[in-house]
Amino acid sequence: MFIETKMHPPHLRGATVERPRLIAMLEQATEGKLAIVSSPAGFGKSTLLAQWAAKAGEGGGRVAWLSLDAQDNDLARFLKYITGTLNRTDAAIAAHALSLIESSPVTPVESILAGLVNDLSRMSEPVYLVLDDAHLIVSSEIAVFLNALVTYAPPALHIVLATRGELPAELAAMRMKGQVVNLGDNELRFSLDETDHYLRQICGLDLSTAGIVALHHKTEGWPAGLQLVSLTLAHEPSRESFIADFSGSQRDVAGFLAHEVLARQPAQVQDFLLRTAILERFNLGLVQAVSPDLDAETTLALIERSNLFLIALDSTGHWFRYHHLFSDFLRGKLEAWPEARRADLHRKASAWLSANGYVSDAVGHALAAGDKDMAADLVEKCATPIIMLGHLPLVMEWLNRLPPELVAARPRLLLTRVWAHFQTGRSRDGVRVLKQAKQLVARLRRDGALDEKTVRALQAELRTLTAGVVSGADWPRMATKLADRWLADYPEGEPFAHGTLSNISAFAHFSLGELDAARLAALKGRDYHTIAHSIFGIIYADLILGLVELSAGNLRQAHDLLARAMQQARQGLGANSYSEAMSAIIKVELLYEWDDLNSAERLLHQHRRVIEECGLVVHEMACKLHLARLAQAHGRHDEAIRHLERAEQLGIEKRYRRLTASALNDRVRLLLSRGDVAAARMALQLRGISLADSEKAKTIHPLDEYAHIGVARVLIAEGQPKRAIAVLERIAERQRRDGRLRGLIQVRALVAIAAHAAGETLQALAATVDLIALAQPQRAVRSLVDEGPPLKAALDFARGRIPAWSRPSETADFVERIGAALNRAGAGRAQAPVVGLPSKKPLSGKEMEVASFLMRAYSNRQLAQSLAMAPDTVKWHLKNIFGKLGVSNRTEAVLKLKEIGLVEPPERVG
């Protein structure tokens, strides 16, 4: 929930001192990207900016105002407020930012930045973003964001930072990026005319000219000091004597006059001021909560009429704050109160804020009260419903504000942190915290601190999260065994955890190619999430169902499921949420398969940034695979290979076998299309996959199928098609048994290619007919077209020998369409030159070791020292490596090694 008054300038009272000279300075400064207004407390900085903002708005500019406080150092909270206030100037700016931030498991900084810059670049009128009290920002993450926003700001955006003094180190670098106006004490002090106008016209004091001049000199034109003087003089019987005795130095004014002002107030007003000093901002309901025994409404009205350093935050007079100087003074006085009494004020404030939806602020007051249990209760009460919506940044914000020892003492808070690790793909962190939670639940149960009902609920959740982190670590078989065993005896009354465990089981079964089991588990998961009203869980169940039907070759059904998931995400979480992006990225694969490249590319780039920034590894890798395939389809092979290399590295880092193998298969196919057989073979070798092992394996695991398909490709390219067919037939047998008909298309295409190359006419015809029979119902095009000229040759061979393909029919039309698409792809295919004459021989183990250190640009001497070799031995290995790579020097060797996927070894320690 937004605190709306943070996003409006302070309300200007009817009588204020107009400062045209300073307004002109601000107008000039704000023509650039950045203006910094720096002045000490009490110099009227916020009032001046409010006056300037009103004038800027009258001139056609749009002013987005954000009053910062210490709690805004949380990145997600800051981004929500900064996009929220910009959206209020124009609905086209950051229209979907809130849903994106709240639905993403990781705060999507880059996506928000890009969205803001793009939206603002379309604005014709100037947009002024004012960040008041910027000195309170100490977060380095926010500083990086603001620096980037200034760097990439389009012409329409002008940023104004208002700070009490020097900016924190994190923001100091921004001074180099814009025009800086330093309105310090010399500029902001009242002139004598302004002092005269303020005291006589605004404050209504009947003072002599000598008295005005004396006060101006004694306060040195300090606006806050003059305000304090005016409050005292309003009740001073001998004004001239007071002025004569008043020292007036800025250092003394605050303490002396604030004491005088406070001491002259009725006891009830003094008590009210001190009680409400704990509040950053307040309305009548909140002050009544902390002062239930006082007439809050009357007292607040009296303070407002007395102009007692009260600043209205809206035009309706509902929300207020005290002047910073006065607030600091009051809090200093409040320190004299007993700690228990101060804690009681914070406790009451926390209770009211929590009851009225300001939970994050309520947590802060609960912690200030020293009531850690109350703070923890607040987080526990709200965490699960928010997780069910997928709003993880907010939950993490709360957890990070709680003391670590408090989180470690509460199983519910530990489990909340595991949920966050699980949904953000940090399995190792999840395992660590999960172990803590299990041990804590066991100990509390042993000590009798938990009743059996609570224990059962916690243990059920522990089981769900255990299966989740196991699945996230890419151990799908273990995940299915755990999940299916626990699902058979899951306690009632926990539909969210139950549904999540079903979804985990579904995805693990899908990863193993067990589509029927995956489909059943996902449907059950969807039912439980519907009972729990978990939007994120429902969307994820539909996503898994979409993946299952995609793998089964039911592409139209998969499309409908993914479209339903995207629609639910938009309706429940807002447009362009993380949940929508998850489903959209999978839908890209469908559009690509149907050869709708423009729609696929448009959808991919609409959601790419969110997925790359926040997505789970499965979605992030899928995104990279799509980028590579689209680049290849447009003939940009080098770009495609770079994307595939990154996908493989990510898969290796995250230990995600299935998509790593898929990226490797695509890269082998691309290298072979360039005629670089040696590089393709070596790419497999570097991943520990040998041709001999593929042939010896009795069974090929579904997670490794694509790597062995890559082996078959190399065998075909090296003129050994029969050996390739033997590998492919073992894969096809299992795919057909599992009903994974879409993957079977690629395998049967390669069998057709291999059989045609081997001169096995009947086998080539049978595979081609089977291929078309599989692809036509799915309308699958790219799985065929991406195989390029070798498949075109096999298809042309079959077309001349299958009479049914020459007669008018849907099948004949489909074959004609594939042939035409292959012709277009062949005409546009860019054949990259291959350096040298590549060898078919793989690098030996020792040559691999030398090659890996070669990539660090080691000299021959360094290589000899690092590998404990004689210099002549190093030279001999390098000569062999150059020969096998088909290169003539070190630079070409490093480029070739990068292309085939070799990475630098880690630095040795010691």
Side-chain angles (χ1 to χ4, degrees):
M1 181 182 292
F2 283 121
I3 301 172
E4 291 291 334
T5 52
K6 284 169 59 69
M7 298 184 284
H8 297 284
H11 180 60
L12 294 172
R13 300 178 186 277
T16 55
V17 177
E18 296 294 334
R19 316 199 71 184
R21 179 179 60 87
L22 298 182
I23 296 292
M25 291 178 65
L26 279 172
E27 287 176 344
Q28 182 179 3
T30 53
E31 290 177 358
K33 282 187 176 183
L34 174 68
I36 300 176
V37 180
S38 174
S39 71
F43 276 86
K45 179 175 67 275
S46 295
T47 301
L48 173 66
L49 283 169
Q51 291 175 334
W52 162 81
K55 188 171 182 181
E58 292 171 359
R62 301 165 189 246
V63 179
W65 184 287
L66 179 58
S67 297
L68 298 168
D69 55 47
Q71 294 181 24
D72 293 323
N73 278 288
D74 177 82
L75 180 60
R77 176 185 170 105
F78 177 82
L79 291 179
K80 281 190 282 189
Y81 270 108
I82 201 170
T83 54
T85 192
L86 282 165
N87 179 256
R88 278 155 177 74
T89 67
D90 190 297
I93 302 175
H96 308 299
L98 180 61
S99 64
L100 176 57
I101 296 167
E102 292 189 338
S103 70
S104 301
V106 178
T107 304
V109 185
E110 294 296 329
S111 299
I112 295 299
L113 176 63
L116 279 179
V117 171
N118 291 338
D119 291 345
L120 288 162
S121 66
R122 291 188 284 267
M123 302 298 294
S124 55
E125 303 86 1
V127 176
Y128 301 98
L129 173 61
V130 182
L131 301 180
D132 198 13
D133 291 326
H135 58 277
L136 295 174
I137 293 298
V138 295
S139 164
S140 58
E141 292 178 309
I142 293 175
V144 169
F145 174 84
L146 288 175
N147 272 286
L149 184 59
V150 171
T151 300
Y152 300 113
L157 179 62
H158 310 274
I159 300 172
V160 181
L161 297 183
T163 173
R164 286 198 195 181
E166 283 299 312
L167 287 168
E170 288 82 359
L171 298 181
M174 296 180 70
R175 290 182 175 277
M176 304 299 294
K177 295 179 177 149
Q179 182 177 355
V180 177
V181 54
N182 246 329
L183 301 183
D185 51 0
N186 288 333
E187 289 80 12
L188 288 168
R189 294 181 192 280
F190 279 175
S191 66
L192 180 58
D193 288 342
E194 289 171 334
T195 299
D196 186 290
H197 176 77
Y198 176 74
L199 292 174
R200 286 179 169 166
Q201 303 300 321
I202 295 176
C203 298
L205 295 174
D206 184 14
L207 297 174
S208 65
T209 299
I212 296 287
V213 172
L215 286 174
H216 178 73
H217 286 297
K218 289 187 176 186
T219 62
E220 298 179 339
W222 182 36
L226 288 166
Q227 184 180 5
L228 288 164
V229 168
S230 69
L231 291 169
T232 303
L233 287 175
H235 304 282
E236 181 61 51
S238 179
R239 294 175 178 175
E240 298 301 324
S241 298
F242 173 85
I243 293 172
D245 295 336
F246 171 56
S247 64
S249 69
Q250 180 177 320
R251 180 171 295 179
D252 296 336
V253 164
F256 174 73
L257 290 182
H259 281 82
E260 286 293 316
V261 170
L262 190 64
R264 292 177 182 272
Q265 304 306 315
Q268 178 175 328
V269 173
Q270 292 188 43
D271 191 26
F272 179 91
L273 290 169
L274 291 172
R275 292 193 201 188
T276 54
I278 66 164
L279 306 171
E280 292 288 343
R281 60 192 60 80
F282 48 84
N283 62 7
L284 180 59
L286 183 52
V287 297
Q288 285 174 332
V290 297
S291 305
D293 54 327
L294 299 178
D295 184 351
E297 186 171 8
T298 301
T299 308
L300 189 60
L302 175 62
I303 292 171
E304 186 177 15
R305 285 196 304 271
S306 303
N307 194 22
L308 200 59
F309 292 96
L310 189 69
I311 298 175
L313 296 175
D314 55 28
S315 59
T316 58
H318 289 159
W319 284 88
F320 303 89
R321 70 168 173 85
Y322 293 123
H323 188 286
H324 294 309
L325 187 72
F326 195 50
S327 179
D328 291 344
F329 165 73
L330 291 174
R331 290 175 186 176
K333 292 284 290 181
L334 196 62
E335 289 296 319
W337 283 26
E339 185 176 349
R341 191 177 178 190
R342 284 183 278 125
D344 184 59
L345 292 174
H346 283 291
R347 195 173 294 109
K348 290 173 179 175
S350 180
W352 186 92
L353 289 165
S354 174
N356 287 273
Y358 302 103
V359 179
S360 189
D361 299 274
V363 171
H365 279 289
L367 291 172
D371 196 337
K372 298 177 182 178
D373 289 334
M374 182 180 182
D377 287 342
L378 287 168
V379 176
E380 286 183 340
K381 181 175 75 172
C382 299
T384 299
I386 290 175
I387 289 173
M388 288 163 61
L389 293 173
H391 294 179
L392 289 176
L394 183 59
V395 175
M396 293 304 296
E397 173 191 336
W398 292 340
L399 286 176
N400 292 338
R401 294 182 62 192
L402 294 173
E405 63 275 11
L406 177 60
V407 176
R410 290 205 173 205
R412 172 58 57 199
L413 295 181
L414 284 175
L415 290 178
T416 299
R417 195 173 284 283
V418 179
W419 278 108
H421 290 320
F422 163 49
Q423 293 194 17
T424 53
R426 297 197 294 269
S427 294
R428 293 183 181 179
D429 293 332
V431 169
R432 175 179 51 80
V433 182
L434 192 62
K435 184 177 180 181
Q436 284 182 266
K438 288 180 178 178
Q439 293 172 343
L440 179 60
V441 170
R443 178 168 59 80
L444 293 175
R445 183 185 191 184
R446 191 171 54 249
D447 296 343
L450 296 174
D451 60 72
E452 283 305 308
K453 181 180 179 181
T454 302
V455 169
R456 283 195 301 272
L458 290 172
Q459 286 180 334
E461 200 166 334
L462 282 167
R463 288 177 172 181
T464 292
L465 290 168
T466 299
V469 296
V470 168
S471 177
D474 200 25
W475 295 327
R477 178 55 67 201
M478 184 184 296
T480 59
K481 289 180 178 179
L482 292 174
D484 294 348
R485 185 172 78 241
W486 291 333
L487 283 169
D489 186 32
Y490 209 86
E492 296 297 325
E494 300 293 332
F496 173 63
H498 200 161
T500 303
L501 185 56
S502 293
N503 278 354
I504 292 166
S505 172
F507 188 78
H509 278 297
F510 163 74
S511 298
L512 295 167
E514 298 164 356
L515 302 189
D516 288 340
R519 192 180 286 115
L520 180 61
L523 288 169
K524 289 181 177 178
R526 194 179 197 283
D527 288 343
Y528 281 111
H529 280 302
T530 300
I531 295 170
H533 303 292
S534 169
I535 295 175
F536 186 81
I538 293 170
I539 293 167
Y540 205 81
D542 276 349
L543 171 60
I544 296 171
L545 288 169
L547 286 168
V548 168
E549 300 308 334
L550 180 60
S551 180
N554 302 321
L555 270 57
R556 173 49 59 188
Q557 192 172 347
H559 177 275
D560 293 343
L561 285 163
L562 294 170
R564 181 173 76 177
M566 292 172 66
Q567 182 180 10
Q568 288 170 331
R570 283 193 293 271
Q571 290 175 346
L573 302 170
N576 295 322
S577 67
Y578 168 70
S579 298
E580 181 183 355
M582 288 194 307
S583 301
I585 289 302
I586 306 304
K587 186 179 176 183
V588 170
E589 186 170 350
L590 276 170
L591 296 171
Y592 178 80
E593 182 64 88
W594 287 336
D595 205 25
D596 188 353
L597 301 185
N598 290 335
S599 296
E601 199 152 18
R602 187 165 55 249
L603 189 62
L604 174 61
H605 287 291
Q606 180 183 348
H607 298 282
R608 171 190 173 187
R609 191 179 295 275
V610 174
I611 290 298
E612 289 183 333
E613 197 169 356
C614 311
L616 295 172
V617 61
V618 62
H619 303 113
E620 187 176 355
M621 288 188 67
C623 185
K624 288 178 168 55
L625 290 174
H626 298 335
L627 287 167
R629 288 165 185 166
L630 285 164
Q632 176 229 335
H634 292 302
R636 304 192 302 270
H637 285 194
D638 289 341
E639 178 187 333
I641 285 178
R642 286 196 297 272
H643 287 306
L644 291 169
E645 287 172 347
R646 294 189 189 108
E648 283 182 65
Q649 291 302 323
L650 177 64
I652 292 167
E653 177 187 334
K654 299 293 186 180
R655 298 183 294 180
Y656 206 89
R657 286 163 59 191
R658 181 171 58 88
L659 287 180
T660 303
S662 182
L664 177 60
N665 175 47
D666 278 8
R667 189 155 62 91
V668 167
R669 176 168 51 78
L670 274 173
L671 290 169
L672 292 175
S673 75
R674 294 156 58 118
D676 203 340
V677 181
R681 178 187 266 266
M682 202 169 299
L684 291 165
Q685 178 191 356
L686 290 172
R687 298 291 175 252
I689 301 161
S690 72
L691 277 60
D693 289 343
S694 289
E695 294 179 297
K696 291 176 184 176
K698 293 182 180 179
T699 59
I700 295 176
H701 197 284
L703 296 179
D704 300 321
E705 283 177 351
Y706 282 109
H708 293 282
I709 291 172
V711 169
R713 292 182 184 281
V714 172
L715 286 169
I716 295 170
E718 291 184 344
Q720 304 177 73
K722 292 184 179 180
R723 293 175 65 188
I725 291 171
V727 174
L728 293 167
E729 292 290 10
R730 290 204 306 279
I731 296 173
E733 181 183 358
R734 179 159 184 170
Q735 288 181 328
R736 203 182 294 273
R737 185 179 70 242
D738 291 344
R740 293 183 283 121
L741 301 185
R742 178 155 180 266
L744 186 58
I745 293 176
Q746 184 174 156
V747 175
R748 294 302 284 163
L750 288 172
V751 171
I753 291 168
H756 180 251
E760 297 289 341
T761 304
L762 292 179
Q763 191 174 22
L765 289 174
T768 308
V769 170
D770 191 23
L771 171 65
I772 295 300
L774 288 166
Q776 182 190 343
Q778 303 182 39
R779 293 193 293 132
V781 175
R782 293 305 310 190
S783 288
L784 307 185
V785 173
D786 287 348
E787 296 303 332
L791 183 62
K792 183 179 184 301
L795 189 62
D796 288 345
F797 173 79
R799 289 174 74 181
R801 289 162 178 78
I802 302 175
W805 288 4
S806 301
R807 293 192 293 267
S809 67
E810 289 186 6
T811 301
D813 290 344
F814 182 74
V815 172
E816 182 67 28
R817 179 185 176 191
I818 296 300
L822 281 164
N823 285 332
R824 288 194 302 273
R829 188 177 295 272
Q831 293 291 343
V834 180
V835 180
L837 297 173
S839 167
K840 294 183 180 180
K841 296 180 181 179
L843 298 183
S844 68
K846 184 57 69 175
E847 288 166 352
M848 291 283 290
E849 191 174 5
V850 173
S852 66
F853 281 90
L854 178 64
M855 295 190 65
R856 287 197 199 153
Y858 275 30
S859 66
N860 286 9
R861 181 178 179 183
Q862 289 173 315
L863 282 168
Q865 291 174 342
S866 299
L867 299 170
M869 291 181 181
D872 287 342
T873 304
V874 170
K875 291 179 182 177
W876 182 75
H877 280 309
L878 289 175
K879 179 181 178 182
N880 288 341
I881 291 169
F882 290 175
K884 290 180 179 181
L885 293 177
V887 300
S888 58
N889 57 52
R890 282 171 168 265
T891 301
E892 290 178 356
V894 170
L895 292 173
K896 177 65 70 175
L897 289 166
K898 287 183 177 180
E899 182 179 277
I900 62 177
L902 188 63
V903 296
E904 295 180 24
E907 292 287 347
R908 292 182 176 179
V909 180

